[in-house]
Amino acid sequence: MNALQPLFNAITVIFIAVTMFAAGLATTLPTLRAVFTDLPLLLLALLANLVVVPLLGWAIAALFVLPTAGFVALVLVASSPGGPFGAKLSMVQKGDVVAGTAMQVLLAAVASLTFGPMSSGILTTAEVGGGISLDVAALVRTVAILQLVPFAVGLVVRHCARPTALSWHPVAGVVSNVTFMMVLAGMLLGSWRDVVALLGSRTLLAGFLLSVVAFAVGTLLATGPPTRRTTMGGIAAVRNVGPPLAAVGIAFGDEQAVLGALAAVLTSGLAAALPIAAVLGRGRDGGTA
């Protein structure tokens, strides 16, 4: 993995940047304005994703007495809302796709600034591995540049040249999906011994439980009809892999044990959230486009 580390890092950067660029291409100012002006929904979603779920991640990691790598991975994932797959879950469950996509983008943008302080604060307070702490300034700067700048560029293109944005978006979406699979595969292959060691472990179970509980919290702390509430649940259940990967690179030197635990937590979380969305979708004729 060491020889391929520069390639893995480059693909990770491409994945994060292209994902947020694609989100900007698909987002209109009216949809963002609708989320910003719905204060009850906005405040509850921010509370659920930026405060409650990170604290739940900490509680679950402590409850399961996870090893250092698993503890760090779970806290990093829990502190990073706005995963792009959350918008896809809203489609799977035939939910409120417009509100879900807008909230996912908003959470990813806000979390680029809050992820560092939140995850660092939890890890420092928990004194994991002797008191791990993150370089918050470097992390905020890196994540903000990788997420906010590409999203802003995509948003400007959508606002100023809609036909161009519509033609570019499918390509950007494909690149995002392909690079996500490459990043996940790289994490699994590069840390396969650590991942195999985690099979049947508490780390996988903790990641699964975090996703289920986050789905419930996101649904409960939302307003509107059931389709919108469960859509917010799906958004909360799927976390953003970009900031945790940046944190592992900055603070842990791409340590394989942490990468392996991160891959395990992410995959077990998706394994929990996807069936819930599929079951919800079976009972609905259609969603809000």
Side-chain angles (χ1 to χ4, degrees):
M1 179 68 175
N2 290 336
L4 297 176
Q5 193 64 53
L7 177 61
F8 175 78
N9 291 340
I11 294 174
T12 300
V13 169
I14 294 171
F15 160 69
I16 299 171
V18 173
T19 297
M20 292 307 296
F21 177 64
L25 292 176
T27 304
T28 64
L29 293 177
T31 58
L32 283 182
R33 192 179 302 115
V35 171
F36 276 114
T37 54
D38 190 342
L39 288 181
L41 178 66
L42 175 62
L43 294 177
L44 286 173
L46 291 176
L47 174 64
N49 286 277
L50 300 180
V51 180
V52 177
V53 173
L55 293 179
L56 284 172
W58 179 10
I60 292 172
L63 177 65
F64 281 72
V65 195
L66 296 183
T68 299
F71 199 116
V72 169
L74 195 70
V75 169
L76 293 180
V77 170
S79 302
S80 181
F85 200 76
K88 298 184 188 297
L89 280 187
S90 65
M91 301 176 190
V92 172
Q93 65 170 281
K94 299 175 184 175
D96 192 335
V97 178
V98 173
T101 301
M103 187 61 72
Q104 176 260 312
V105 168
L106 177 62
L107 287 170
V110 174
S112 67
L113 303 176
T114 64
F115 168 77
M118 175 59 77
S119 57
S120 179
I122 291 176
L123 293 175
T124 301
T125 304
E127 297 183 345
V128 180
I132 295 172
S133 62
L134 304 177
D135 185 340
V136 175
L139 186 55
V140 168
R141 183 170 58 251
T142 300
V143 175
I145 291 173
L146 286 177
Q147 293 199 132
L148 292 182
V149 173
F151 172 69
V153 172
L155 188 63
V156 170
V157 173
R158 176 60 186 255
H159 182 68
C160 299
R162 185 173 181 273
T164 301
L166 293 178
S167 65
W168 286 1
H169 182 259
V171 177
V174 170
V175 174
S176 173
N177 290 337
V178 170
T179 51
F180 172 71
M181 297 305 298
M182 293 174 68
V183 166
L184 189 57
M187 292 166 62
L188 292 170
L189 292 175
S191 313
W192 68 269
R193 292 185 179 85
D194 300 291
V195 175
V196 170
L198 290 173
L199 293 177
S201 72
R202 296 187 302 273
T203 300
L204 280 171
L205 182 58
F208 189 93
L209 180 60
L210 175 65
S211 184
V212 172
V213 174
F215 207 121
V217 168
T219 300
L220 292 173
L221 293 180
T223 60
T227 51
R228 173 169 289 190
R229 294 170 66 90
T230 57
T231 295
M232 295 302 115
I235 295 299
V238 180
R239 314 307 278 178
N240 190 354
V241 66
L245 282 173
V248 172
I250 292 173
F252 303 102
D254 297 308
E255 186 177 328
Q256 298 306 313
V258 180
L259 279 173
L262 191 61
V265 169
L266 289 168
T267 52
S268 62
L270 286 175
L274 190 55
I276 296 174
V279 169
L280 289 170
R282 287 200 196 102
R284 294 171 179 168
D285 294 328
T288 303

